[in-house]
Each structure stands twice: as C-alpha cells, then as structure tokens.
Amino acid sequence: MDTKKLLENISNNCSSELTKYKFNKGLDISDKYRKGKVTSYQYVLDLIYHFFEKERLLKIEFESIITKELDNTSLLKNGDYRNGINEVLSEIKSQLKEKA
C-alpha cells in the first residue's frame, strides 16, 4: 500500500474514533481517558494534514523549478541541444498538468 493510501486509511480511522470519543458520552470511561484519546486522535489528524499539505507544496515547488528551467533554456543557442532540453522539460510539465 502506498503511503498516501495508508495515511488516508489512518485518517479515516482516527476521524471515526475521534467522533466516538468526543460525542459518545455513554462510554464507561473517565473524562481524563476520553480527553487523552481525543487529544491523540486530533494530533494524528493534524499531523496527517501537515504531510498532505507538504506533499501538495512539493509538487508546486517541483513544477515551479521545471518552469524556471524551461524559461532558462532561452539563454542557450538555438539548436538540437536546446530543442532536446525543451522537449523533455515540456513533457514533464505536461505530465504534471495531467496529474492535477
């Protein structure tokens, strides 16, 4: 299982458990235990959000670097070398747009 799917599964489980402990007052548990569970599930959910956001920003940064390098090829002399670089970077940029 890839990391994203694993974190999504953990997130779904934590959300379900968080709801159970946060709103089900009929459980035979102490308030401190309930608070510990709620705090822990919320922490894990926040941590997963952080990593998803980090992944999203990583893609944006990668795309920005590819775009910058594509722009920098204008400094090269016209020719096969420049055309090869442009073709590869343009393909990568297209792949990034397809996955969006």
Side-chain angles (χ1 to χ4, degrees):
M1 178 180 298
D2 72 8
T3 304
K4 186 173 183 178
K5 286 191 188 308
L6 177 63
L7 290 178
E8 285 172 349
N9 288 343
I10 292 170
S11 177
N12 289 337
N13 183 52
C14 285
S15 292
S16 174
E17 291 296 309
L18 177 64
T19 301
K20 175 177 137 184
Y21 284 100
K22 199 170 188 178
F23 299 110
N24 189 347
K25 302 299 181 187
L27 297 174
D28 188 24
I29 56 175
S30 72
D31 285 341
K32 285 187 178 188
Y33 181 81
R34 178 190 310 274
K35 186 175 181 178
K37 293 285 257 189
V38 167
T39 300
S40 297
Y41 284 127
Q42 188 61 57
Y43 171 77
V44 172
L45 287 169
D46 291 344
L47 189 60
I48 290 170
Y49 174 80
H50 167 77
F51 280 100
F52 281 155
E53 191 64 14
K54 195 173 183 178
E55 178 190 29
R56 185 185 70 82
L57 294 174
L58 184 63
K59 181 183 174 199
I60 291 169
E61 182 181 0
F62 182 78
E63 186 174 357
S64 173
I65 290 170
I66 294 295
T67 300
K68 180 181 161 199
E69 292 303 320
L70 194 54
D71 292 343
N72 286 342
T73 61
S74 66
L75 302 174
L76 299 172
K77 287 195 283 186
N78 281 333
D80 288 344
Y81 181 75
R82 177 179 167 181
N83 291 341
I85 293 172
N86 279 337
E87 187 175 311
V88 169
L89 294 177
S90 294
E91 287 173 12
I92 300 300
K93 197 168 177 179
S94 292
Q95 289 174 8
L96 288 168
K97 295 292 184 200
E98 289 173 11
K99 304 287 183 189

